[in-house]
Amino acid sequence: MSQVTEHTPPLSPNPLVKGGRSATLVDACVRGGAAAGLGLGGLAVLVTAAWITSPYPDGGPGGALHLAAGLWLLAHGVDLVRTDTLSGVAAPLGVAPMLLMVLPGWLAHRAARDTSDAEEGRPKLTAAGTVGAVSGGYLLVAVGVVASAANGPLPADPLAAALWLPATVVASAGLGVWTAAGRPLPRQEHAAVGLRAAVLATAALLTGGALLVTVSLAWHAGAAHASFDGLADDWSGRVAVLLLALTLVPNAAVWAASYGLGPGFALGSGAWATPLGLSGAAAVPPFPLLAALPAAGRGSWPHWTAAVVPAAAALLLGWCAGRSARLWTAKETVATALVASWACGASLAVLAALAGGPLGSGRLSAFGPVWWQTGAAAVLWCAVVGVPTALGVRAWARRDRTPVAAGGPEPAAVAVPDRAAVPEAGRAHEPEPVRGEDGDEDGDELGFEAYGFLPAAWEPPPPGSLASAPSAASPQPPTPEPTPPAPDPGPDRTPDAAGSQDGTTPERPSAGPDTP
């Protein structure tokens, strides 16, 4: 009897899989476009809510949507152009709130990560294919946003849009693919340690910069409060100013990190703020975060203490590099610390380029740190302080690995007493022998025989052992004394008269009653 079984093809988890690799590429593009739409929609909701609650709504809902498109482009690092100035001359706006960059960057990152995690039965794209497909879909939406913002109050600079938009999207998508692969580091151990040390040093610099901003704001709390009240007199305006200040906090942390590194930052054309003092005429607009700027004049010891931030970051870099260099040579340790220094400098240079930019034309054309000066200062601090620290940590970690000098005295061998030579009285406090699970008294569980150290019968006992010395407690068999020879009885003597041959006198018979 035969049974016929029909095999139906498994259902695809995604209907787009029917088209194979082409459908997978389309799906990746759709994910990228959806990520761009979500970011734009989120900003549009915030701007529309602010427009509705504003007591002086201008431009209508169309103007609010154009403003949202401009802010979305600014969040990607694209410079905008203000056309409604008092002088009638277009003025650039290039200081992008770095916290605002987190939203579109995270959306592009998630889209690439989800695309890399291919479902079962779906053809998987390569890393480059995933990044290209997601970025392509994202940039298609961005082109429409650029065209829409061109009709609003904040159009995008075409050159900046052509450079920063693809770079930001591709970098975010690349990080998403890297995350989906498990965040692998280079296989070479020195490069991996150097990258980890650079990340720690960069995080320390940003954390220290944020701490400097917090302390300075607390020191100038009165000026910051006055600036906040002067910008808005209604609650909706104050909420908008507060949100803008929060999105600019990472920018202020990068500015403060550059201040501690030494190069400082520009406050307009010809004005610089460094730990040595504030030089030039600063063109500072009224804003709460800018109230934390140092006063004009020469710097004093409170300003010089900002150097603690890069010093602590360089020490952390050297500690991270030296901790892993216990088995390395000094040359490898120095090379790893230098790699970490250059990586930290490159990351600070990129962050400085994102944190600064123009706020207008003329004296307002330069605001924030100069990227190459900040990066060079970070490399110098990490190399000068981090390399000696790495060597010192390496030497400290190797202090217990000093080898014994050749030809040195060897440890003396410990003589093991012979169990048979120990008297019974000396075994009173001897521990019980180890017994296995089967009750046998043997050391098989420990990997050796219980009496394996005893010499064989044909081997002489080792010198100095108890077995080689005579023991007073060992019982010796008694030596029999020689028996004296029996005396010769002679011819006139009989055995009865002379006695027995063994020297004993035979017993005489007792006298009877008839014996006289």
Side-chain angles (χ1 to χ4, degrees), residues 45 57 63 94 160 165-166 209 221 227 237 285 298 374 393 435:
V45 169
L165 261 176
S227 176
R298 297 177 60 87
T374 303
V393 172
R435 298 181 181 274

Side-chain angles (χ1 to χ4, degrees), residues 31 66 72 76 96 107 120 129 143 161 219 224 251 264 284 322 337 373 381 431 437 464 497:
R31 288 178 183 270
H66 285 107
W72 185 81
H76 292 79
L107 289 173
E120 185 179 357
V143 170
W219 188 264
N251 299 60
V284 181
Q373 293 180 1
W381 270 98
E437 296 180 358

Side-chain angles (χ1 to χ4, degrees), residues 118-154:
E119 300 177 0
E120 185 179 357
R122 164 184 288 184
K124 188 174 182 179
L125 299 176
T126 62
T130 302
V131 172
V134 173
S135 301
Y138 197 103
L139 292 176
L140 284 177
V141 178
V143 170
V145 176
V146 171
S148 175
N151 300 323
L154 293 174

Side-chain angles (χ1 to χ4, degrees), residues 13-389:
N14 194 328
L16 289 177
V17 179
K18 295 180 180 179
R21 184 178 179 84
S22 299
T24 306
L25 288 173
V26 172
D27 185 34
C29 291
V30 170
R31 288 178 183 270
L38 286 175
L40 181 60
L43 286 178
V45 169
L46 291 177
V47 173
T48 304
W51 174 76
I52 292 174
T53 57
S54 175
Y56 309 104
D58 297 330
L65 294 179
H66 285 107
L67 180 61
L71 290 178
W72 185 81
L73 294 175
L74 186 65
H76 292 79
V78 179
D79 292 351
L80 304 180
V81 180
R82 292 192 300 115
T83 57
D84 55 344
T85 59
L86 296 177
S87 61
V89 179
L93 175 62
V95 178
M98 296 182 68
L99 190 60
L100 197 62
M101 296 180 178
V102 174
L103 177 62
W106 177 73
L107 289 173
H109 171 276
R110 191 186 66 172
R113 182 197 63 192
D114 295 344
T115 304
S116 298
D117 296 335
E119 300 177 0
E120 185 179 357
R122 164 184 288 184
K124 188 174 182 179
L125 299 176
T126 62
T130 302
V131 172
V134 173
S135 301
Y138 197 103
L139 292 176
L140 284 177
V141 178
V143 170
V145 176
V146 171
S148 175
N151 300 323
L154 293 174
D157 184 8
L159 181 60
L163 292 178
W164 283 103
L165 261 176
T168 305
V169 175
V170 170
S172 301
L175 288 177
V177 174
W178 180 61
T179 302
R183 300 184 180 92
L185 292 176
R187 293 185 178 181
Q188 188 178 6
E189 184 180 5
H190 303 83
V193 172
L195 290 178
R196 284 195 294 264
V199 170
L200 286 178
T202 304
L205 282 172
L206 296 179
T207 304
L211 183 61
L212 289 178
V213 173
T214 303
V215 172
S216 185
L217 276 177
W219 188 264
H220 302 87
H225 187 269
S227 176
F228 183 78
D229 291 340
L231 288 175
D233 54 356
D234 58 300
W235 68 270
S236 60
R238 292 181 179 179
V239 169
V241 172
L242 180 61
L243 290 177
L244 181 59
L246 290 177
T247 57
L248 287 171
V249 167
N251 299 60
V254 177
W255 288 28
S258 180
Y259 182 84
L261 286 169
F265 48 86
L267 293 173
S269 181
W272 285 90
T274 64
L276 299 179
L278 181 61
S279 61
V284 181
F287 196 72
L289 284 179
L290 295 179
L293 294 174
R298 297 177 60 87
S300 57
W301 68 266
H303 304 88
W304 303 335
T305 55
V308 174
V309 173
L315 289 173
L316 184 61
L317 181 144
W319 173 80
C320 182
R323 183 186 60 174
S324 303
R326 184 176 182 180
L327 303 178
W328 299 350
T329 63
K331 184 177 180 180
E332 293 173 339
T333 305
V334 172
T336 302
L338 289 177
V339 168
S341 302
W342 280 99
C344 179
S347 60
L348 258 295
V350 173
L351 292 174
L354 293 174
L359 285 178
S361 58
R363 295 179 59 190
L364 298 176
S365 60
F367 265 88
V370 180
W371 65 270
W372 65 268
Q373 293 180 1
T374 303
V379 172
L380 187 62
W381 270 98
C382 294
V384 172
V385 179
V387 172
T389 303

Side-chain angles (χ1 to χ4, degrees), residues 412-418 453-455 459-470:
V414 180
V416 182
D418 188 357
F453 56 85
L454 295 179
E459 296 178 352
S465 63
L466 298 179
S468 61

